[in-house]
Amino acid sequence: GESVGLHLPTLSVQEGDNSIINCAYSNSASDYFIWYKQESGKGPQFIIDIRSNMDKRQGQRVTVLLNKTVKHLSLQIAATQPGDSAVYFCAENKGSARQLTFGSGTQLTVLP
Amino acid sequence: GAVVSQHPSRVICKSGTSVKIECRSLDFQATTMFWYRQFPKQSLMLMATSNEGSKATYEQGVEKDKFLINHASLTLSTLTVTSAHPEDSSFYICSALRGSANEKLFFGSGTQLSVL
């Protein structure tokens, strides 16, 4: 079946460096993508979203890039901080946030 | 931002008992809420879609008589795990859908259920 997946299950970066978390999706009909951050024992927290009519969107310290040609999504975190340590999930759907399909997650660890 | 409150955050119960988890949208009305289950180091798995005033829609493989969902108001959905067993131990998360033209999903803080 079609699914959303991640290339790297774990990622360790030095504090202050930039982080890049990748996600591959296979449903070519998906046109809405979201990145969530989940800290241990908590629910997912919305970070940033992007629709398929865009290839880049920027937020505060975060940038999401969408490459529809290769069905690839990435989340870039600038100047990574200890508080950024968490599991990051990409999610996708067709049209809206209703019934999102979640990827398998990447554990980001920020080293001092 | 929108707030979704989930209660309790943690519950320990004996095998065979039932546990109710509440999910409330505090500052918006949510005609649709979702319930997920998450095992350690795994992704969120959608269990069911809860619609206000109608029956919930369950995903394939989820027992509707085991996981009772009630969405009696626009701000409250409840999930009851009936006759809980150790294999039901998991992290349960709810989410609420806000908006119509530009829908966004907001998550509760999750409930860690441990069945002894």
Side-chain angles (χ1 to χ4, degrees), chain B residues 75-90:
Chain B
T75 59
L76 173 65
S77 175
T78 61
L79 169 69
T80 300
V81 183
T82 62
S83 186
H85 291 284
E87 57 265 30
D88 298 324
S89 298
S90 186

Side-chain angles (χ1 to χ4, degrees), chain B:
Chain B
V3 179
V4 175
S5 173
Q6 188 172 341
H7 180 80
S9 59
R10 182 178 295 272
V11 58
I12 301 172
C13 69
K14 292 183 178 180
S15 184
T17 61
S18 295
V19 174
K20 180 185 284 189
I21 303 170
E22 294 187 347
C23 182
R24 295 180 184 271
S25 55
L26 297 184
D27 53 358
F28 65 98
Q29 293 182 331
T31 56
T32 304
M33 293 185 176
F34 301 95
W35 288 95
Y36 305 82
R37 186 172 181 174
Q38 186 179 33
F39 291 106
K41 299 190 185 300
Q42 294 190 20
S43 189
L44 283 73
M45 296 298 295
L46 180 65
M47 297 175 66
T49 301
S50 172
N51 299 297
E52 187 268 336
S54 64
K55 291 183 178 180
T57 303
Y58 291 82
E59 295 300 300
Q60 189 174 6
V62 179
E63 300 176 54
K64 62 179 181 180
D65 295 328
K66 173 77 171 175
F67 299 99
L68 299 179
I69 292 173
N70 184 285
H71 194 159
S73 78
L74 288 171
T75 59
L76 173 65
S77 175
T78 61
L79 169 69
T80 300
V81 183
T82 62
S83 186
H85 291 284
E87 57 265 30
D88 298 324
S89 298
S90 186
F91 193 56
Y92 293 87
I93 307 171
C94 72
S95 67
L97 199 61
R98 187 191 74 178
S100 54
N102 185 22
E103 294 179 327
K104 284 195 181 294
L105 201 61
F106 296 91
F107 286 84
S109 55
T111 298
Q112 181 63 54
L113 171 63
S114 300
V115 185
L116 304 178

Side-chain angles (χ1 to χ4, degrees), chain A residues 56-68:
Chain A
K56 180 179 180 180
R57 192 171 186 212
Q58 289 185 295
Q60 187 177 10
R61 280 202 307 121
V62 295
T63 301
V64 55
L65 298 177
L66 175 63
N67 186 330
K68 295 180 288 292

Side-chain angles (χ1 to χ4, degrees), chain A residues 29-92:
Chain A
S30 294
D31 57 9
Y32 182 55
F33 305 88
I34 308 175
W35 280 101
Y36 287 96
K37 172 186 179 182
Q38 186 180 26
E39 298 177 25
S40 181
K42 297 183 180 179
Q45 177 186 359
F46 174 92
I47 301 175
I48 192 168
D49 60 358
I50 189 168
R51 296 197 177 274
S52 60
N53 59 354
M54 302 174 68
D55 53 18
K56 180 179 180 180
R57 192 171 186 212
Q58 289 185 295
Q60 187 177 10
R61 280 202 307 121
V62 295
T63 301
V64 55
L65 298 177
L66 175 63
N67 186 330
K68 295 180 288 292
T69 302
V70 295
K71 299 189 186 69
H72 185 267
L73 190 69
S74 69
L75 176 70
Q76 299 179 2
I77 304 174
T80 313
Q81 302 169 359
D84 294 328
S85 292
V87 176
Y88 289 81
F89 292 97
C90 65
E92 55 92 19

